[in-house]
């Protein structure tokens, strides 16, 4: 990877680290900036293996998520598992030639199946952080033995009123301390991101043509979003179709010139991203207007309605 590539990956990961929305993080990461730079600097032509490389990017995040959230591996070991899976896929593709059109049909079919699966399996709702009772399973014998006493809950942890301290607040405090300890100074964090970009760039050179879709920034982004990896995977899987649109545009016009291919690629990415995101954005904007016009107020989690903004 060139110096410009390292700087680009560093800037992309830094931008993701500054965002708080998982949806925005997934969209920013899906921007085909590293792919564009790799196509410019390596001279590789887009073929079917690059479409499988997009599938490999999703495989990378799935492996990292399973290793970190299911198997409880440290995030760096989970990252290594994801990279190993991607490198294994790339090594298998080095010995074969993948036609573009069949690869495109197969990739779109896989995307449709994944979208259908994700729609049928919505993410589980997280318990409210301010209600410790909801974090206790309903079949917990300790909860059944403990009477529902609002006064006891109100005085928990208050030595002056004679109530014992509530030990259930300790895990939340420990989580806050751990999160505070993980925060690094900006310069140290930037140095780590820069070093990681150099390391992944050197590793990506081993994959020849598949270097175009290697997760240069993904290895570092997975560390940044490690607490929201399942949600990040869902959003990135949806945005992957826009990357397929980018590669399709490049493939259609790359015989004209490199500039024409990249321009068509970015046009394909923008068009596909608009088709994916604009309907949901408009639907989200219409919902408050519909509630205000009909007088139907959506119910909150506590069962009480929330009044809309008065005109």
């Amino acid at each position: 990877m060139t110096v410009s590539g390292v700087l680009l990956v560093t800037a992309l990961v830094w931008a993701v680290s500054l965002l708080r929305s998982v949806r925005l993080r997934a969209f920013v990461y899906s921007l085909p900036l590293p792919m564009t730079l790799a196509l410019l600097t390596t001279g590789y032509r887009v073929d079917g293996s690059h479409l499988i490389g997009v599938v490999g990017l999703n495989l990378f995040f799935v492996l990292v998520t399973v290793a970190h959230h299911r198997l409880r591996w440290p995030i760096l070991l989970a990252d290594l598992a994801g990279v190993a899976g991607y490198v294994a896929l790339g090594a298998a593709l080095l010995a074969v030639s993948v036609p573009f059109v069949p690869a495109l049909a197969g990739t779109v079919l896989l995307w449709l199946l994944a979208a259908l699966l994700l729609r049928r399996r919505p993410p589980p709702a997280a318990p409210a952080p301010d209600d410790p009772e909801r974090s206790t399973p309903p079949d917990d014998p300790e909860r059944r033995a403990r009477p529902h006493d609002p006064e006891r809950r109100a005085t928990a942890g208050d030595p002056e009123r004679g109530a014992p301290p509530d030990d259930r607040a300790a895990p939340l405090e420990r989580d806050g301390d751990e999160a505070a300890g993980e925060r690094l100074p900006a310069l140290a964090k930037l140095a780590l991101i820069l070093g990681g970009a150099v390391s992944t760039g050197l590793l990506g050179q081993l994959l020849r043509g598949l270097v175009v879709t290697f997760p240069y920034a993904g290895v570092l982004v997975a560390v940044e979003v490690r607490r929201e990896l399942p949600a990040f995977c869902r959003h990135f899987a949806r945005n992957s179709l826009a990357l397929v649109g980018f590669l399709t545009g490049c493939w259609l016009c790359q015989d004209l010139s490199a500039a024409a291919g990249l321009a068509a690629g970015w046009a394909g990415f923008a068009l596909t991203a608009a088709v994916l995101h604009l309907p949901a954005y408009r639907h989200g904007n219409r919902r408050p207007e519909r509630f205000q016009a009909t007088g139907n107020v959506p119910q909150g989690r506590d069962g009480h309605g929330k009044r809309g903004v008065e005109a």
Side-chain angles (χ1 to χ4, degrees):
M1 179 182 283
T2 61
V3 176
S4 58
V6 171
L7 294 178
L8 177 61
V9 170
T10 302
L12 184 62
V13 178
W14 182 257
V16 170
S17 69
L18 296 178
L19 298 173
R20 291 293 173 263
S21 170
V22 180
R23 187 187 300 270
L24 284 179
R25 286 181 166 190
F27 179 76
V28 170
Y29 173 71
S30 67
L31 293 174
L33 294 171
M35 290 187 187
T36 300
L37 188 61
L39 289 173
L40 285 174
T41 56
T42 61
Y44 284 113
R45 293 172 58 85
V46 174
D47 57 18
S49 64
H50 296 125
L51 294 174
I52 302 179
V54 175
V55 178
L57 286 175
N58 286 275
L59 174 65
F60 165 80
F61 281 109
V62 168
L63 290 176
V64 175
T65 302
V66 170
H68 185 58
H69 282 262
R70 294 288 181 88
L71 304 181
R72 302 298 181 184
W73 289 9
I75 186 60
L76 295 181
L77 288 180
D79 251 344
L80 289 177
V83 170
Y86 187 91
V87 171
L89 177 64
L93 291 177
L94 289 178
V96 297
S97 176
V98 183
F100 188 87
V101 175
L104 177 62
T107 303
V108 173
L109 179 61
L110 282 177
W111 186 90
L112 291 174
L113 291 176
L116 181 62
L117 180 63
L118 292 176
R119 183 179 294 273
R120 288 189 174 185
R121 297 181 59 184
D130 56 346
D131 191 355
E133 293 290 335
R134 293 192 179 184
S135 62
T136 307
D139 56 345
D140 187 8
E142 220 178 303
R143 182 177 177 180
R144 289 198 301 266
R146 183 171 61 245
H148 181 71
D149 187 358
E151 181 68 19
R152 180 182 179 275
R153 295 180 60 185
T155 60
D158 190 351
E160 296 182 359
R161 301 183 66 175
D166 193 349
D167 293 333
R168 291 171 298 180
L172 297 178
E173 294 176 0
R174 283 196 297 269
D175 290 344
D177 293 339
E178 290 175 2
E182 289 172 358
R183 297 192 187 98
L184 293 174
L187 291 179
K189 190 174 185 178
L190 187 59
L192 287 176
I193 292 174
L194 186 62
V198 174
S199 302
T200 54
L202 294 176
L203 182 61
Q205 299 299 323
L206 302 176
L207 297 178
R208 300 181 191 174
L210 218 64
V211 69
V212 174
T213 54
F214 186 79
Y216 300 106
V219 175
L220 304 170
V221 167
V223 178
E224 289 292 333
V225 301
R226 57 191 177 277
R227 297 183 184 276
E228 302 92 10
L229 268 172
F232 183 89
C233 282
R234 296 171 66 91
H235 291 300
F236 179 69
R238 185 181 185 188
N239 292 329
S240 296
L241 190 63
L243 293 177
V244 173
F246 170 80
L247 292 172
T248 302
C250 291
W251 179 77
L252 288 173
C253 298
Q254 65 183 351
D255 289 335
L256 300 177
S257 66
L262 289 175
W266 275 95
F269 175 85
L271 179 61
T272 310
V275 171
L276 289 175
H277 294 287
L278 282 182
Y281 177 78
R282 290 177 178 176
H283 178 70
N285 283 346
R286 283 199 302 265
R287 288 183 63 187
E289 296 175 0
R290 184 171 69 251
F291 286 135
Q292 187 175 0
T294 59
N296 296 325
V297 182
Q299 297 294 318
R301 296 185 59 177
D302 56 355
H304 299 288
K306 297 181 180 178
R307 297 184 61 185
V309 180
E310 297 182 358

